[in-house]
Amino acid sequence: MYRERRTGVAGAVLWASTAPAAGRTSRVLPDGCLDLLWSSRAGLLVAGPDRTAFVSASRPGERWVGLRLPPGVGPAVLGVPAVELRDRRVPLAALWGDRAADALAERVAEEPAAAL
Protein backbone atom coordinates (compact mmCIF):
# COMPACT_ATOMS: atom_id res chain seq x y z
CA MET A 1 0.00 0.00 0.00
CA TYR A 2 1.31 3.46 -0.94
CA ARG A 3 -0.02 6.84 0.26
CA GLU A 4 1.24 10.38 -0.07
CA ARG A 5 0.23 13.86 1.03
CA ARG A 6 1.50 17.42 0.79
CA THR A 7 3.51 19.00 3.57
CA GLY A 8 4.11 22.55 4.81
CA VAL A 9 7.34 22.69 2.79
CA ALA A 10 6.67 24.07 -0.71
CA GLY A 11 6.73 21.21 -3.22
CA ALA A 12 7.60 18.53 -0.63
CA VAL A 13 5.58 15.34 -0.33
CA LEU A 14 5.29 12.96 2.62
CA TRP A 15 4.72 9.38 1.54
CA ALA A 16 4.30 6.02 3.27
CA SER A 17 4.40 2.48 1.97
CA THR A 18 4.13 -1.03 3.39
CA ALA A 19 5.46 -3.99 1.44
CA PRO A 20 3.04 -6.88 0.88
CA ALA A 21 3.46 -10.25 2.61
CA ALA A 22 5.55 -11.52 -0.31
CA GLY A 23 7.89 -8.50 -0.25
CA ARG A 24 8.34 -6.20 -3.20
CA THR A 25 10.85 -5.03 -5.76
CA SER A 26 10.09 -1.75 -7.48
CA ARG A 27 11.80 0.79 -9.69
CA VAL A 28 12.09 4.35 -8.46
CA LEU A 29 12.29 6.66 -11.45
CA PRO A 30 14.64 9.66 -11.44
CA ASP A 31 12.89 12.89 -10.48
CA GLY A 32 15.69 15.24 -9.39
CA CYS A 33 14.53 15.11 -5.77
CA LEU A 34 16.28 14.22 -2.53
CA ASP A 35 14.38 11.95 -0.16
CA LEU A 36 14.73 11.53 3.58
CA LEU A 37 13.71 7.90 4.08
CA TRP A 38 12.87 5.78 7.11
CA SER A 39 12.60 2.02 6.85
CA SER A 40 11.47 -0.28 9.64
CA ARG A 41 14.47 -2.43 8.66
CA ALA A 42 17.18 0.05 7.59
CA GLY A 43 16.45 3.14 9.72
CA LEU A 44 17.03 6.65 8.34
CA LEU A 45 18.61 7.13 4.93
CA VAL A 46 19.00 9.95 2.46
CA ALA A 47 18.41 9.10 -1.19
CA GLY A 48 20.16 11.43 -3.54
CA PRO A 49 18.89 12.46 -6.93
CA ASP A 50 19.26 9.54 -9.33
CA ARG A 51 20.33 9.67 -12.95
CA THR A 52 18.78 6.26 -13.71
CA ALA A 53 16.01 4.15 -12.19
CA PHE A 54 16.88 2.72 -8.77
CA VAL A 55 15.72 -0.81 -7.95
CA SER A 56 14.37 -0.96 -4.41
CA ALA A 57 13.74 -4.28 -2.65
CA SER A 58 11.55 -4.43 0.45
CA ARG A 59 11.13 -7.38 2.79
CA PRO A 60 7.66 -8.71 3.63
CA GLY A 61 5.77 -6.17 5.74
CA GLU A 62 8.61 -3.63 5.69
CA ARG A 63 7.33 -0.10 6.31
CA TRP A 64 8.74 2.98 4.61
CA VAL A 65 8.10 6.67 5.22
CA GLY A 66 9.71 9.30 3.03
CA LEU A 67 9.89 13.04 2.75
CA ARG A 68 10.49 13.88 -0.92
CA LEU A 69 12.20 17.27 -1.18
CA PRO A 70 11.98 19.00 -4.56
CA PRO A 71 15.06 20.06 -6.53
CA GLY A 72 16.86 22.93 -4.78
CA VAL A 73 15.18 22.33 -1.41
CA GLY A 74 16.91 19.12 -0.31
CA PRO A 75 20.42 20.59 -0.01
CA ALA A 76 19.13 23.46 2.16
CA VAL A 77 17.27 21.07 4.49
CA LEU A 78 19.97 18.40 4.69
CA GLY A 79 23.02 20.68 4.56
CA VAL A 80 24.75 18.75 1.77
CA PRO A 81 25.09 19.63 -1.93
CA ALA A 82 22.91 17.37 -4.09
CA VAL A 83 25.87 16.35 -6.25
CA GLU A 84 27.47 14.67 -3.20
CA LEU A 85 24.41 12.44 -2.87
CA ARG A 86 23.77 11.77 -6.56
CA ASP A 87 22.98 8.08 -7.22
CA ARG A 88 23.61 7.20 -3.56
CA ARG A 89 21.76 6.02 -0.45
CA VAL A 90 23.50 7.38 2.66
CA PRO A 91 22.67 6.85 6.35
CA LEU A 92 21.46 10.14 7.82
CA ALA A 93 23.99 9.73 10.66
CA ALA A 94 26.81 10.13 8.11
CA LEU A 95 25.47 13.62 7.31
CA TRP A 96 24.11 14.87 10.64
CA GLY A 97 26.01 12.79 13.19
CA ASP A 98 24.73 10.01 15.40
CA ARG A 99 23.00 12.14 18.04
CA ALA A 100 20.78 14.11 15.65
CA ALA A 101 20.04 11.10 13.45
CA ASP A 102 19.21 8.89 16.47
CA ALA A 103 16.83 11.51 17.88
CA LEU A 104 14.94 11.74 14.60
CA ALA A 105 14.96 7.95 14.18
CA GLU A 106 13.32 7.53 17.59
CA ARG A 107 10.59 10.04 16.69
CA VAL A 108 9.94 8.36 13.35
CA ALA A 109 9.86 4.85 14.83
CA GLU A 110 7.25 5.94 17.39
CA GLU A 111 4.93 7.57 14.86
CA PRO A 112 6.35 7.24 11.32
CA ALA A 113 3.95 9.39 9.30
CA ALA A 114 3.87 12.28 11.80
CA ALA A 115 7.58 12.56 12.57
CA LEU A 116 8.99 13.57 9.19
Side-chain angles (χ1 to χ4, degrees), residues 12-114:
V13 175
L14 181 67
W15 60 269
S17 177
T18 302
R24 171 181 47 221
T25 300
S26 57
R27 291 188 188 280
V28 180
L29 300 177
D31 60 6
C33 297
L34 290 172
D35 284 74
L36 176 58
L37 306 170
W38 175 83
S39 157
S40 58
R41 175 180 53 92
L44 283 169
L45 304 168
V46 175
D50 294 320
R51 291 180 285 182
T52 61
F54 179 81
V55 178
S56 175
S58 296
R59 292 187 180 158
E62 185 173 1
R63 294 177 299 141
W64 287 89
V65 176
L67 178 63
R68 184 178 312 120
L69 299 165
V73 174
V77 171
L78 298 171
V80 178
V83 69
E84 291 184 23
L85 299 169
R86 186 176 57 210
D87 298 323
R88 298 178 60 205
R89 303 301 180 266
V90 178
L92 183 63
L95 304 177
W96 285 6
D98 290 334
R99 179 177 280 177
D102 288 347
L104 183 57
E106 286 178 24
R107 287 177 47 205
V108 175
E110 289 173 10
E111 195 172 346

